[in-house]
């Protein structure tokens, strides 16, 4: 098969390169066994780019990311660069990637694997089989709205201001992503805001309702207030399929949903941009966790969040659902077989290194594809 899938790999700092190394095994495996070949390039971002080029991401690396079909990102940051001003720190690299690629839809799945059911703080019957997708609007809302800032009032008090702003287009494009996803899943979208107390929430509700009536009547739509959604996520999370919400509520609700699964080392994410004329979307896939400087270089990081980010990439950027499922099945099997990295270690299981976990996934893929 022709190498028509342009993939930019950005390992980053700390455990980023360690977990990316294990994904490279899977990419090689796909090349060998599934005849899927990626046109692979690698770029620096974060602390390593600061050390090498004096900037968290070069214009050349940015151009590579813009031209790629998908970016696979590890993690950036670490104590070595913590004293730099904000705009020169490693994290400025990932922020620029997200901003310049206009990645407005952040997808965070919360899936509870049977083998890790005890890692959740909730009772097994509440979370068994849980599979929720949170779609968070990522480039608008209160984190970017103007006016913002801190001013001093005539009486000497200080006032802090942030502004929640959403426009029709911002709401419609992220809602469309949620509806499209629901079509490929269980056909249900919960749209979450505070229309009872916020005008921006009311607009959100009206625009989502309109879009649904125009183009997505085959999908079930329910509206929910954000405070109720937080409560329902903990009370009965399995009622949800896809949740779509703004930047602020999404930030909070996606962390809450993630923790239903119990483990940072297992959580993947995708960030998508708008489709161009040919239907291609800019996209970046990364684990939810950071560069974990406390365990970097020890060979003990869990590579599965990175692995599952790669499988999201196969599904959402390359329409390779079957291959994505194969990787997810391999992860399930390896965990069911009792292998655990330190972060998800349980009594009676075998504690393994990053590398052994990566090798076990490839062995399992061999078996599944035999
Ligand atoms: P972190 O996610 O790096 O680590 C939090 C805790 O979880 C640590 O104890 C770590 O050892 C553990 N952990 C995380 N991922 C793990 C894995 N795959 N396997 C095993 N254990 C894992 O968050 P932090 O400590 O708050 O941040 C560390 C650095 O990462 C900071 O510089 C921060 O700015 C950066 N960061 C980067 C990103 C990103 O690149 N997108 C995201 C979050 C944090």
């Amino acid at each position: 098969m022709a190498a028509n899938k342009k993939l930019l790999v950005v390992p980053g700092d700390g455990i980023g390169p360690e977990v990316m190394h294990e994904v490279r095994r899977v990419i090689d495996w796909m090349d060998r066994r599934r005849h899927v070949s990626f046109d692979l390039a690698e770029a620096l971002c974060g602390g390593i780019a600061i050390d090498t080029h004096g900037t968290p991401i070069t214009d050349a690396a940015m151009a590579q990311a813009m031209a790629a079909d998908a970016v696979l990102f590890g993690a950036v940051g670490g104590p070595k660069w913590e004293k730099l001003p904000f705009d020169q720190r490693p994290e400025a690299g990932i922020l620029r990637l997200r901003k310049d690629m206009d990645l407005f839809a952040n997808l965070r799945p919360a899936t509870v694997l049977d083998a890790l059911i005890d890692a959740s703080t909730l009772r097994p019957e509440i979370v068994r089989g849980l599979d929720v997708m949170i779609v968070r609007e990522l480039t608008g809302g209160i984190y970017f709205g103007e006016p913002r800032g801190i001013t001093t009032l005539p009486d000497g008090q200080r006032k802090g201001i942030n502004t929640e702003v959403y426009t029709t287009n911002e709401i419609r494009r992220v809602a469309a992503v949620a509806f499209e996803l629901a079509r490929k899943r269980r056909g249900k979208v919960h749209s979450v805001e505070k229309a009872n107390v916020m005008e921006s929430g009311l607009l959100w509700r009206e625009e989502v309702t309109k879009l649904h009536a125009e183009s997505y009547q085959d999908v079930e739509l329910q509206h929910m207030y954000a405070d109720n959604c937080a409560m329902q996520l903990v009370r009965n999370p399995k009622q949800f399929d896809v949740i779509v919400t703004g930047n602020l509520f999404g930030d909070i609700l996606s962390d809450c949903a993630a923790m239903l699964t119990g483990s940072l080392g297992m959580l993947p994410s995708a960030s998508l941009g708008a489709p161009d004329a040919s239907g291609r979307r800019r996209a970046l896939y990364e684990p939810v966790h950071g560069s974990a400087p406390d365990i970097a270089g020890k060979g003990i990081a869990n590579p599965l969040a990175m692995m599952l980010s790669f499988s999201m990439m196969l599904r959402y950027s390359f329409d390779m659902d079957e291959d994505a499922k194969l990787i997810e099945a391999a992860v399930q099997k390896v965990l069911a077989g009792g292998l655990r990295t330190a972060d998800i270690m349980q009594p009676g299981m075998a504690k393994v290194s990053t590398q052994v976990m990566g090798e076990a996934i490839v062995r399992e893929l061999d078996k599944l594809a035999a």
Side-chain angles (χ1 to χ4, degrees), residues 3-330:
N4 55 356
K5 299 174 179 60
K6 279 179 78 152
L7 171 57
L8 182 67
V9 172
V10 186
D13 308 316
I15 63 168
E18 299 172 35
V19 293
M20 192 68 85
H21 188 76
E22 302 313 313
V23 173
R24 294 294 286 262
R25 289 183 204 279
V26 175
I27 295 176
D28 289 347
W29 180 88
M30 295 198 68
D31 207 4
R32 272 196 327 272
R33 295 293 307 271
R34 307 285 286 180
H35 310 295
V36 178
S37 132
F38 292 95
D39 176 0
L40 213 69
E42 193 163 318
L44 302 184
C45 179
I48 187 165
I50 294 172
D51 291 352
T52 314
H53 300 298
T55 173
I57 187 161
T58 60
D59 290 342
M62 254 334 293
Q64 278 180 289
M66 297 298 257
D69 292 318
V71 176
L72 194 61
F73 190 88
V76 293
K80 181 175 176 192
W81 306 282
E82 252 162 30
K83 298 223 159 50
L84 291 171
F86 274 113
D87 60 344
Q88 291 166 33
R89 277 196 205 170
E91 291 79 358
I94 178 67
L95 293 178
R96 180 168 174 206
L97 276 166
R98 290 182 190 145
K99 182 164 171 284
D100 289 8
M101 291 171 75
D102 197 15
L103 304 173
F104 64 85
N106 182 225
L107 277 52
R108 295 255 307 250
T111 313
V112 170
L113 306 179
D114 277 349
L116 294 183
I117 199 154
D118 291 330
S120 177
T121 47
L122 296 192
R123 289 201 307 276
E125 66 270 25
I126 304 287
V127 292
R128 180 169 286 115
L130 180 74
D131 178 12
V132 181
M133 177 70 83
I134 304 226
V135 180
R136 164 188 171 192
E137 201 290 327
L138 201 59
T139 52
I142 198 162
Y143 295 160
F144 298 95
E146 299 282 346
R148 63 184 298 157
I150 300 176
T151 54
T152 303
L153 299 172
D155 68 357
Q157 288 191 75
R158 296 202 304 154
K159 183 167 89 171
I161 307 177
N162 292 91
T163 308
E164 171 83 348
V165 191
Y166 272 114
T167 61
T168 303
N169 284 349
E170 284 174 319
I171 298 166
R172 286 176 67 99
R173 66 182 187 171
V174 74
V177 169
F179 286 128
E180 300 284 345
L181 278 170
R183 271 189 180 153
K184 293 188 180 166
R185 293 169 49 96
R186 301 190 299 282
K188 194 154 95 176
V189 168
H190 279 81
S191 171
V192 171
E193 25 60 11
K194 289 282 287 176
N196 50 342
V197 286
M198 295 168 71
E199 282 76 7
S200 59
L202 187 59
L203 183 78
W204 182 285
R205 184 173 288 218
E206 288 173 359
E207 292 300 337
V208 173
T209 305
K210 229 187 278 177
L211 179 67
H212 177 252
E214 283 165 21
S215 312
Y216 296 103
Q217 287 193 34
D218 54 312
V219 177
E220 186 189 332
L221 170 64
Q222 285 186 34
H223 301 280
M224 191 177 264
Y225 297 137
D227 46 344
N228 186 26
C229 183
M231 190 181 80
Q232 296 296 337
L233 268 174
V234 183
R235 194 184 74 85
N236 175 21
K238 281 190 268 186
Q239 68 186 289
F240 297 108
D241 178 15
V242 177
I243 294 174
V244 62
T245 187
N247 206 342
L248 172 64
F249 297 139
D251 193 358
I252 298 163
L253 294 173
S254 63
D255 268 17
C256 175
M259 275 305 109
L260 300 174
T261 72
S263 172
L264 197 53
M266 295 295 302
L267 297 170
S269 79
S271 300
L272 308 180
D276 62 16
S278 66
R280 188 187 79 115
R281 278 182 192 279
R282 292 214 172 93
L284 182 144
Y285 299 85
E286 59 180 323
V288 169
H289 63 72
S291 57
D294 53 334
I295 58 165
K298 295 186 179 162
I300 59 170
N302 184 347
L304 297 181
M306 191 75 246
M307 223 48 108
L308 294 170
S309 301
F310 177 67
S311 84
M312 284 187 90
M313 187 197 81
L314 296 179
R315 177 169 291 128
Y316 297 119
S317 280
F318 300 125
D319 228 357
M320 294 168 61
D321 207 47
E322 210 178 295
D323 297 86
K325 280 189 183 143
L326 207 57
I327 292 172
E328 287 152 13

